[in-house]
Amino acid sequence: DFLEGTFQARSFYPYWVSGNEYVYMNSTAAINKVNIGTNVETAILNGEPWVSMGHLFFDIKISADQNYLAIFYMKTDGYADYVRTFSCDIYNLLNGFLRTKQILPDFPTENLQKFQWSPTGHDFSYVYEFNVYLYKNTFLNHHQITNDGDEQMVFNGIADFLHWIEITEDDSLMWWSPDSQYLAYATIKQTNVFAVEFSVYNNYQYPEMIRYPYPKPGTPIPTTTVTVVDLSNLSLTQLKTLNFSSWSDGYYLNSVTWRGNHILSPTWKNRISNEAVVENCETPMFNCSYVSGMTSKSTTGWLGHYKVAHIIPTNNDNVYITVRSLDGYQHITVFYVKENKDDWRTSGEFEVIPKKDEINDWIYFTSTELESKPGTALPRIRHIWRVKGSGSDKNRSCISCHLNEIFPDRCNWVTPSFSRDGSYVVINCGGSGNAAPVSTLHMRNSSGDYEFVGVVEGNEELIQTLNVVFLPNFMFFFLSHFSARYPFQRLHLPPNFNESKKYPMLVQVYSGPAYQQVRDRFEVSWKDYVSSARDVIVMSFDGRGTGYRGDKIMHQVYKKLGQYEPHDQIAAARKLATENQFIDQSKIAIWGWSYGGYELLNVIGEDADNVFKCGFAVAPVTKWEYYHTIWTEKYMQQPKDNPDGYAKGSALQGIENFRTHHFNLFHGTKDENVHFQNSAQLSKYLIDGDVKFGAFFAADDDHSMSRVNNGYRNIYKQLTRQMDLCFNL
């Protein structure tokens, strides 16, 4: 049922076009605009033209002046996101309900890579064949800005695989100034970057070879520059960044933000992501500078959770908001550039992610803080809080905690969607265990406080389904006397659980650095099927290295991936099984995907006491030398600087323990992220060690196992079959 979407929960993230309006596509494919305050709905565009043509749409974007609408369809596939193109039609919304399609002779409506409207009016930029183009003056002027784009060498205005996966929020590398007078774009050059190649079989007589740049640890990385287009005269100015001479092995562009109309602020970070610099690049020359407080450095590990935090502009060009580590926890600071001064707005043993309300000087943020115990955290929850953006009042208040009283156990994990000016906010409550998510609407009153308006998505159909389906029960707890503070576990207990019975247990592992698996929200996946249909207990556990419990716990795995996490998983499973008689200690298995697959291999390699009987690894990394630079070197540094860490972090060891476990390996041959090379080398290692194991290789499937028809369904059928064999079910 979970594969059929039976338990799919709906949330509500409006495509806001103003402070109180959003746009959406209805069931007839017409585009409508809704005033969320009055609930008055206005038709923008009839859906008949593209419905009759059989187009399958995946996105829409309306111009800032709401006079034009871009509709995107016919998304193509490819070996990486940046080569997956789409088609686009632009409609004029000024001619009544039967709007007309805008004919732009020089606009390639097919095989586009990126499209962005300007923040004012209806100019737009786009990326086509790795080059940046621009339309201005109501489409009268069309300009090609770059001409050196190349799929293998030069990426203009669009991220390569490396940046898209690990650095930028979006794979579009174009940034309009708020007044639309400037357009900044990044260029990534793959000079000296090594490429990876693999075969795609399809139905060809000879396989097709796919080749794309993919730097691995210790090899050259791309170089990135930022250029600004002045729309008044189309002049190009490349940012004159400072000489990062101490970063001689290369550096990355982390993010770009306009602080007002005249200051462009790129954030750069060094190759191993433990140092970062925010720059001031001012019009018209765009010479860049920074003061000491605009730098960040970690002495215990990497910066941020997954990456360096972006900066958030304010209505004062001299001031921006960001998140940095304070006493080992990620907290909000308001930075005053001219004064070179931080004004920390939050502090304590919890972590945050911010948004600014300029009108009432509030900073909104999601946090792990417990309202009942200020200053302390419950890592498995998220609520929306706020604090004043300036002044001596730094008292925090939770604006979503009360929703859990109105909707019991449905609102422990929230994500907000603020309208353009913050007049409204939709709070998406993520549910909890078997309690369905709910989305609520709130309106800001004259005092700047948000008042509850009503439910905008209640998931009533899902609730009816949950009332008649037997899903697992859930338990959250932390293990006392353990190696990491607050090492939380989540148990999925079979329906009609009976403590006097003996149950097999499956451990689901990921345990990647900064990751969090134990979350108090509604999630239905294979683990729930296993627990409810196969009468198996499923455990998830966050040990050392995982996120949102402070740098001290997270950075314990720095330069030592794979050395501590397997011991934590073994110890947690052993402790749980020995202290609870309802767990059958002879029937404990573990499975993981990607980094989880890597951790599983390390667990088996270390499990001399056979706490686990079986293991199932999907698309695992086996040696960090095989994975890409930005992720690996952030946690492991370069091989030349951490040879011991790379050697001990290899999963190709512990052959004696593999011989005593029932092990199965799964991987797609077209995996663009964790290359099939990893499993190929693992299979060679196991065969050389005379290990009995099972291997399933999905031809032409990628890291998600979802590109080939029935691939995603098939992998879970295979996993279920192997688990049944392991537990004699």
Side-chain angles (χ1 to χ4, degrees):
D1 286 336
F2 82 91
L3 290 173
E4 301 295 338
T6 302
F7 304 104
Q8 184 69 43
R10 292 189 299 269
S11 54
F12 187 54
Y13 293 92
Y15 173 24
W16 296 105
V17 294
S18 70
N20 62 353
E21 296 171 314
Y22 68 92
V23 170
Y24 81 105
M25 180 180 288
N26 70 13
S27 58
T28 67
I31 311 298
N32 292 351
K33 181 166 64 176
V34 181
N35 184 308
I36 202 166
T38 63
N39 212 30
V40 172
E41 193 162 330
T42 305
I44 293 179
L45 190 62
N46 189 338
E48 193 278 331
W50 52 86
V51 171
S52 63
M53 295 175 65
H55 290 331
L56 182 62
F57 289 88
F58 66 90
D59 199 8
I60 58 175
K61 289 184 179 181
I62 194 167
S63 63
D65 58 11
Q66 300 189 27
N67 290 338
Y68 295 89
L69 181 75
I71 299 182
F72 308 106
Y73 58 95
M74 290 180 63
K75 202 170 190 178
T76 66
D77 198 1
Y79 59 84
D81 192 76
Y82 59 79
V83 295
R84 293 168 189 161
T85 63
F86 56 87
S87 297
C88 172
D89 288 337
I90 297 175
Y91 284 83
N92 186 325
L93 304 182
L94 298 174
N95 300 322
F97 185 60
L98 293 175
R99 320 294 184 164
T100 57
K101 184 161 70 173
Q102 193 75 29
I103 304 300
L104 304 176
D106 296 319
F107 181 54
T109 57
E110 297 180 350
N111 298 318
L112 291 168
Q113 293 170 284
K114 280 291 140 188
F115 180 100
Q116 280 191 4
W117 289 112
S118 57
T120 62
H122 47 260
D123 292 343
F124 68 87
S125 59
Y126 65 94
V127 177
Y128 174 72
E129 294 184 345
F130 297 92
N131 282 312
V132 175
Y133 294 79
L134 174 68
Y135 263 103
K136 54 179 291 192
N137 297 331
T138 313
F139 317 132
L140 294 176
N141 303 116
H142 179 253
H143 304 281
Q144 181 172 352
I145 305 302
T146 67
N147 56 21
D148 59 348
D150 182 275
E151 181 178 332
Q152 298 295 326
M153 290 299 298
V154 181
F155 294 62
N156 292 301
I158 188 170
D160 62 357
F161 175 84
L162 202 68
H163 286 72
W164 174 68
I165 290 290
E166 298 293 342
I167 304 179
T168 55
E169 294 288 349
D170 182 10
D171 62 343
S172 175
L173 300 184
M174 298 183 291
W175 305 274
W176 287 86
S177 63
D179 61 3
S180 304
Q181 293 303 302
Y182 295 96
L183 172 68
Y185 66 89
T187 297
I188 302 173
K189 293 191 175 182
Q190 309 290 341
T191 308
N192 298 323
V193 173
F194 293 106
V196 68
E197 294 182 323
F198 55 77
S199 297
V200 176
Y201 302 100
N202 290 316
N203 293 314
Y204 305 144
Q205 183 178 21
Y206 292 91
E208 176 188 4
M209 294 303 298
I210 297 297
R211 185 179 190 274
Y212 61 100
Y214 186 104
K216 298 187 179 186
T219 68
I221 64 174
T223 59
T224 306
T225 57
V226 176
T227 302
V228 182
V229 184
D230 184 338
L231 269 70
S232 66
N233 55 22
L234 295 181
S235 62
L236 304 182
T237 304
Q238 184 173 311
L239 294 192
K240 300 174 179 63
T241 59
L242 297 181
N243 179 19
F244 303 126
S245 57
S246 62
W247 299 348
S248 57
D249 284 341
Y251 52 89
Y252 299 106
L253 177 68
N254 184 77
S255 60
V256 174
T257 304
W258 282 95
R259 289 174 24 227
N261 296 318
H262 302 289
I263 299 178
L264 185 65
S265 277
T267 300
W268 306 90
K269 61 184 176 185
N270 66 343
R271 178 170 177 150
I272 59 174
S273 297
N274 66 354
E275 296 181 19
V277 174
V278 178
E279 289 189 311
N280 287 329
C281 306
E282 297 192 39
T283 60
M285 301 303 295
F286 291 101
N287 292 320
C288 302
S289 63
Y290 65 87
V291 294
S292 61
M294 299 171 75
T295 64
S296 301
K297 184 175 183 178
S298 173
T299 59
T300 60
W302 59 94
L303 291 170
H305 285 110
Y306 298 106
K307 62 180 181 179
V308 178
H310 291 203
I311 67 170
I312 300 172
T314 69
N315 55 11
N316 183 343
D317 294 357
N318 179 51
V319 180
Y320 64 82
I321 302 167
T322 192
V323 172
R324 291 200 290 227
S325 183
L326 176 66
D327 298 327
Y329 292 86
Q330 299 295 309
H331 281 293
I332 297 170
T333 180
V334 176
F335 186 74
Y336 293 81
V337 176
K338 291 182 179 178
E339 294 81 1
N340 194 19
K341 182 185 70 173
D342 277 302
D343 180 10
W344 292 96
R345 305 310 298 175
T346 62
S347 61
E349 295 185 357
F350 59 94
E351 304 201 347
V352 301
I353 306 169
K355 175 185 171 58
K356 184 72 163 69
D357 169 14
E358 295 285 4
I359 297 175
N360 298 285
D361 192 34
W362 287 112
I363 299 175
Y364 289 88
F365 56 96
T366 54
S367 171
T368 60
E369 185 173 14
L370 271 172
E371 187 180 37
S372 59
K373 295 181 180 180
T376 61
L378 184 60
R380 70 172 186 256
I381 68 170
R382 296 290 187 279
H383 274 292
I384 306 172
W385 292 67
R386 69 180 185 181
V387 66
K388 282 294 182 180
S390 60
S392 60
D393 182 5
K394 298 184 180 182
N395 291 314
R396 302 178 296 274
S397 58
C398 182
I399 68 169
S400 64
C401 294
H402 70 286
L403 291 175
N404 220 27
E405 299 173 4
I406 303 173
F407 308 100
D409 291 328
R410 297 178 70 182
C411 207
N412 287 322
W413 187 287
V414 304
T415 51
S417 175
F418 289 89
S419 66
R420 289 287 183 92
D421 64 2
S423 295
Y424 290 87
V425 61
V426 174
I427 297 179
N428 289 284
C429 296
S432 177
N434 292 333
V438 60
S439 300
T440 59
L441 177 65
H442 305 257
M443 180 179 67
R444 188 176 61 199
N445 62 25
S446 58
S447 300
D449 299 321
Y450 281 103
E451 297 178 349
F452 177 75
V453 176
V455 174
V456 289
E457 176 55 70
N459 280 295
E460 287 80 7
E461 292 181 10
L462 176 59
I463 291 173
Q464 292 178 9
T465 301
L466 294 176
N467 286 336
V468 297
V469 174
F470 292 103
L471 283 177
N473 299 306
F474 299 90
M475 290 176 57
F476 291 100
F477 56 93
F478 65 89
L479 298 175
S480 58
H481 309 298
F482 210 72
S483 57
R485 189 177 185 187
Y486 309 129
F488 282 97
Q489 287 181 316
R490 174 171 172 165
L491 282 188
H492 296 239
L493 302 175
N496 303 315
F497 172 73
N498 185 343
E499 286 195 16
S500 64
K501 288 181 60 177
K502 289 279 190 181
Y503 294 89
M505 183 171 74
L506 176 69
V507 174
Q508 177 171 295
V509 62
Y510 189 80
S511 201
Y515 189 77
Q516 182 178 18
Q517 192 166 36
V518 179
R519 300 178 290 190
D520 197 354
R521 59 185 297 183
F522 180 81
E523 298 171 311
V524 175
S525 63
W526 183 60
K527 63 183 181 298
D528 301 279
Y529 165 77
V530 164
S531 186
S532 59
R534 289 296 198 267
D535 237 21
V536 173
I537 291 172
V538 180
M539 181 191 82
S540 300
F541 169 72
D542 288 334
R544 283 176 286 185
T546 52
Y548 301 95
R549 290 175 292 160
D551 292 348
K552 184 177 180 180
I553 293 172
M554 189 168 65
H555 288 170
Q556 286 188 45
V557 299
Y558 187 50
K559 299 193 293 185
K560 298 179 179 180
L561 294 184
Q563 295 187 42
Y564 294 139
E565 308 97 301
H567 295 285
D568 289 351
Q569 296 293 328
I570 293 169
R574 189 200 310 269
K575 184 176 179 65
L576 191 67
T578 55
E579 293 182 356
N580 296 279
Q581 295 301 310
F582 53 79
I583 296 175
D584 187 341
Q585 295 187 46
S586 68
K587 294 182 178 180
I588 301 177
I590 184 170
W591 91 283
W593 196 312
S594 193
Y595 192 92
Y598 164 74
E599 281 306 334
L600 180 150
L601 300 178
N602 288 310
V603 166
I604 291 179
E606 295 286 349
D607 188 23
D609 296 333
N610 283 85
V611 171
F612 295 97
K613 178 182 179 182
C614 309
F616 320 118
V618 183
V621 174
T622 56
K623 287 185 68 174
W624 290 117
E625 290 90 340
Y626 299 155
Y627 201 45
H628 59 70
T629 52
I630 181 59
W631 196 96
T632 306
E633 293 179 355
K634 173 168 49 181
Y635 307 119
M636 293 287 282
Q637 296 191 354
Q638 293 192 67
K640 66 179 182 179
D641 300 317
N642 184 24
D644 186 63
Y646 276 84
K648 291 181 178 178
S650 171
L652 304 181
Q653 50 193 330
I655 195 71
E656 298 82 4
N657 293 331
F658 273 94
R659 295 192 183 103
T660 62
H661 289 75
H662 177 80
F663 173 66
N664 282 270
L665 175 64
F666 307 83
H667 213 133
T669 64
K670 192 184 172 184
D671 192 328
E672 80 294 353
N673 184 12
V674 180
H675 301 141
F676 183 69
Q677 170 191 21
N678 288 270
S679 286
Q681 296 290 5
L682 175 60
S683 67
K684 286 168 57 180
Y685 172 73
L686 296 176
I687 291 170
D688 185 64
D690 198 25
V691 173
K692 293 181 180 179
F693 70 102
F696 172 81
F697 302 136
D700 291 346
D701 220 339
D702 65 3
H703 193 61
S704 66
M705 292 284 197
S706 61
R707 290 288 172 184
V708 173
N709 188 36
N710 286 326
Y712 196 67
R713 179 187 301 273
N714 188 264
I715 184 67
Y716 283 111
K717 286 183 176 180
Q718 295 280 355
L719 287 166
T720 302
R721 181 173 181 272
Q722 293 303 323
M723 186 198 68
D724 286 350
L725 290 172
C726 176
F727 293 154
N728 298 316
L729 298 179

